[in-house]
Amino acid sequence: MDELPQRLKPGDVLGGRYRIEALIGQGGMSTVYLAEDMRLPGKKRAVKQSRQEEGVRASLAEANMLVKLNHPNLPDIVDYYGAEREGRFNYLVMDYIEGETLLQRFERQGRRMPASQVSEYALQLCDVLDYLHGHLQDPIIYRDLKPSNLMIDVHERLWLIDFGIARSYRIGQDADTVPIGTIGFAAPEQFAGRQTDARTDLYGLGALMYYLMSGGQYRHAAGKHLRELDAGLPPGLAELVEKLLQAEPDSRCQSAAEVRGELQRLLTEQRAQDSRRRERQPLLVAVGALYAGAGATFAALALARALHGLGVPHALAEPPKQQPELYALLFGEKHAPAGYRCYTEAAGEPALREAAWADGCTLWLPAAPAAEAARAPAQPAAAAAARWLRKLLALERPLVLVDIGDEWHRHDVRELLSVAAEVVYVVDPMVHKLDLAATRSRLQLLHELRAAGKRVHGIANKTVASKHTGQWLGILPEPPACLLPAIDALKVAEASWLGQLVQDRPGIQQQLARAVYPWLRSWLPHEAYAADAGGAKRTLRKLWKNG
């Protein structure tokens, strides 16, 4: 131990066994490192170094507490090295959890988490809190529930880490030895000189849920009920959070088991409502570019016109954005119906039937042009997102394509992706863009969507016939679902001069349709074309046979 410096560095070895690889994080009284267990090659450990006298005592108390615990959501203690005298360092060696903190996940999701995702995490926390509070000889009060103290591993399991301020509950004790906690998440009694108990952690759970569902606000600072911030939240869940955040412990839920039971009931009710809603809701298909310029809008329009050719009723929608394009692409000033109002216009909340702009089997739903959007009253981002998405879900169409461009990480687009049944990403031959940091981030998001049960498809756009085409396709993230041909620039220009979509031009329409029909046949549900049981089915059989 004497050879170890105050700050460990890569290559240092602790106890002749743990080789330090990197710094993971640093707090007020401790530093955490990633290490390799040399006795188990390839096995990673987390080494927590406490570097102040108070930290050393806290580290020893944490070690004594954790060695008694055995729960799937708690890391195991592997080793402990104590100081021989005051002022020296203590080292706590724990299982290394590969993943990210809940705070990192929250930030990566644009500081917005769907209520269903928050509820699933809360259920896992209820399980571990129930264990800590009720299944040990000396109940443990954690006292510091916050996003940075929770890890999410690659299997979506939530891990409770950092027991630095946890304490054992003592019946009859009037006050904690040290009143402590994190402002924004700590219960009132933690700062009022009173003893904390199981209900203190339940307050922390409520504060955590409020933070995640409010876009990162604290209940005591915001001073608003969750439903005031987002009217789309399930009312029962918002009421449960409000109950957990009561100032008096007697007014809260009294045990983690009680909270778990209420969450399970609410989730069961919500799933039943979602199931009934899905029976009426259209099938949402999100179409996005893996990077700027790949051609998400071109692909979305090609799919829309192919569906029109098949006789499948559908809509193509564009989310509200800074630079909306669909209205101009469709030559809205020329082709939109008289008195047409875009579905995203806030004033008067126009019904979608009033916004009807149909072209055969396609219902066009462009976002309001920038000048019109600027005149609309300002709305909170969450409310605006909920409004346009609710309108799409209320459509009386079996299928809705949504062109999200390359804005995958916008919080309202993430809400859309959470309810979309199919997710389509578009790539083009510019292979250097696959190495962009933004592209890697979107590929990670697509991986997470797949893991969540979404069907994800890749479309290769601007495909040219070349002896090297196979090499291009071979380096894509996966074999593409279909190949859209490159369209001659003159044909695109001619269509624009004539005020038409190039996807509707003779020859090109058939070329694009043949490219996408086999893929559409692989996933398009029967209900999408069942409305016209005669004509649409005959068209499908004919075109798929010839395609």
Side-chain angles (χ1 to χ4, degrees):
M1 297 287 288
D2 288 339
E3 301 86 33
L4 288 172
Q6 291 192 3
R7 181 180 294 276
L8 301 178
K9 61 182 184 299
D12 287 342
V13 177
L14 176 65
R17 176 173 177 178
Y18 306 104
R19 180 183 290 114
I20 303 300
E21 292 190 349
L23 174 70
I24 296 177
Q26 190 168 346
M29 295 189 297
S30 61
T31 303
V32 182
Y33 299 92
L34 174 65
E36 180 184 5
D37 190 332
M38 296 166 60
R39 293 187 192 172
L40 300 170
K43 185 70 174 177
K44 303 299 182 184
R45 305 295 189 189
V47 176
K48 182 176 180 180
Q49 178 195 48
S50 299
R51 61 183 180 278
Q52 295 179 1
E53 184 177 344
E54 297 83 357
V56 170
R57 288 198 295 267
S59 175
L60 180 58
E62 183 179 2
N64 290 334
M65 182 178 292
L66 286 175
V67 293
K68 306 172 187 175
L69 305 181
N70 181 21
H71 190 274
N73 298 93
L74 299 175
D76 288 334
I77 294 297
V78 177
D79 226 330
Y80 181 77
Y81 296 88
E84 297 176 357
R85 61 182 184 274
E86 289 187 1
R88 297 297 302 278
F89 300 103
N90 280 20
Y91 298 89
L92 189 61
V93 184
M94 300 170 282
D95 276 339
Y96 172 66
I97 302 163
E98 185 175 359
E100 60 186 342
T101 67
L102 181 57
L103 180 60
Q104 290 169 327
R105 172 70 61 87
F106 180 65
E107 296 289 349
R108 192 161 56 78
Q109 291 187 193
R111 297 178 68 81
R112 193 77 187 172
M113 276 193 173
S116 58
Q117 185 181 14
V118 175
S119 297
E120 294 292 348
Y121 290 152
L123 275 175
Q124 293 191 52
L125 284 174
C126 284
D127 283 342
V128 70
L129 290 176
D130 183 47
Y131 169 77
L132 294 174
H133 298 164
H135 296 271
L136 301 168
Q137 183 175 356
D138 293 320
I140 292 174
I141 314 304
Y142 183 74
R143 302 197 302 171
D144 204 19
L145 276 178
K146 58 183 178 181
S148 58
N149 279 352
L150 295 161
M151 288 287 296
I152 304 170
D153 68 14
V154 293
H155 304 293
E156 283 298 296
R157 182 191 296 181
L158 207 64
W159 294 79
L160 191 59
I161 60 174
D162 198 345
F163 275 67
I165 70 166
R167 61 175 288 271
S168 296
Y169 176 71
R170 296 286 185 268
I171 297 176
Q173 185 173 310
D174 294 329
D176 289 352
T177 305
V178 178
I180 196 168
T182 301
I183 294 175
F185 297 100
E189 59 267 25
Q190 289 180 254
F191 303 105
R194 292 180 284 165
Q195 180 178 203
T196 53
D197 60 22
R199 297 167 299 180
T200 303
D201 283 341
L202 301 186
Y203 182 99
L205 175 62
L208 177 72
M209 295 172 71
Y210 187 99
Y211 180 85
L212 296 174
M213 290 191 288
S214 68
Q217 298 192 55
Y218 301 107
R219 177 65 175 88
H220 75 278
K224 293 183 178 180
H225 192 286
L226 266 176
R227 295 265 294 173
E228 294 181 71
L229 299 174
D230 186 351
L233 289 173
L237 183 62
E239 290 299 331
L240 175 60
V241 171
E242 203 65 23
K243 184 175 182 180
L244 292 172
L245 289 172
Q246 293 299 303
E248 289 300 322
D250 287 345
S251 300
R252 303 169 199 157
C253 294
Q254 299 299 292
S255 70
E258 180 186 345
V259 180
R260 180 177 56 204
E262 184 64 14
L263 277 171
Q264 289 171 333
R265 182 186 68 79
L266 291 170
L267 278 172
T268 299
E269 289 180 358
Q270 188 63 45
R271 285 167 183 154
Q273 291 175 10
D274 290 345
S275 179
R276 291 192 295 269
R277 190 180 300 116
R278 278 194 296 270
E279 293 174 2
R280 303 187 302 271
Q281 284 179 353
L283 185 77
L284 290 186
V285 182
V287 183
L290 194 56
Y291 39 78
T297 300
F298 178 88
L301 287 165
L303 293 175
R305 301 322 278 158
L307 289 167
H308 164 69
L310 293 172
V312 178
H314 65 283
L316 173 58
E318 177 186 45
K321 55 178 70 173
Q322 289 291 329
Q323 298 294 330
E325 184 182 16
L326 186 56
Y327 187 84
L329 276 173
L330 297 171
F331 297 91
E333 295 298 328
K334 176 182 178 181
H335 297 304
Y340 177 75
R341 300 170 68 194
C342 293
Y343 84 107
T344 56
E345 289 182 88
E349 291 280 359
L352 284 167
R353 288 187 181 88
E354 298 172 20
W357 176 3
D359 182 0
C361 292
T362 305
L363 176 67
W364 300 120
L365 292 172
E372 295 179 30
R375 290 195 295 267
Q379 298 285 332
R387 186 175 62 252
W388 71 260
L389 186 52
R390 278 201 305 271
K391 288 183 176 182
L392 297 187
L393 293 172
L395 278 170
E396 295 179 2
R397 297 259 162 165
L399 190 149
V400 178
L401 302 166
V402 188
D403 172 18
I404 64 173
D406 62 346
E407 299 182 327
W408 296 86
H409 289 284
R410 263 175 43 178
H411 74 273
D412 53 346
V413 171
R414 293 299 296 264
E415 291 285 341
L416 165 72
L417 293 172
S418 72
V419 297
E422 312 282 336
V423 179
V424 179
Y425 68 92
V426 184
V427 297
D428 71 359
M430 299 296 101
V431 296
H432 68 280
K433 294 187 177 182
L434 294 173
D435 290 329
L436 298 174
T439 301
R440 292 195 293 270
S441 175
R442 289 163 191 150
L443 286 170
Q444 176 60 33
L445 172 58
L446 289 167
H447 173 75
E448 293 167 6
L449 290 170
R450 271 202 181 91
K454 303 291 180 184
R455 289 176 293 198
V456 178
H457 317 268
I459 288 182
N461 190 26
K462 308 174 189 175
T463 306
V464 293
S466 164
K467 64 179 181 180
H468 300 297
T469 300
Q471 291 176 271
W472 165 47
L473 298 177
I475 65 174
L476 295 180
E478 61 188 320
C482 63
L483 309 178
L484 295 182
I487 306 300
D488 184 85
L490 178 59
K491 298 292 185 183
V492 177
E494 287 176 343
S496 181
W497 298 338
L498 295 169
Q500 297 177 342
L501 286 172
V502 70
Q503 290 85 350
D504 280 338
R505 295 289 290 160
I508 294 175
Q509 183 183 50
Q510 290 77 11
Q511 194 179 2
L512 293 172
R514 283 195 299 270
V516 300
Y517 283 156
W519 172 62
L520 288 174
R521 179 174 53 188
S522 72
W523 64 266
L524 192 65
H526 167 80
E527 308 86 71
Y529 53 88
D532 180 5
K537 285 185 180 179
R538 286 194 297 272
T539 303
L540 280 169
R541 285 196 293 269
K542 178 182 176 182
L543 289 173
W544 282 343
K545 181 179 178 181
N546 296 335

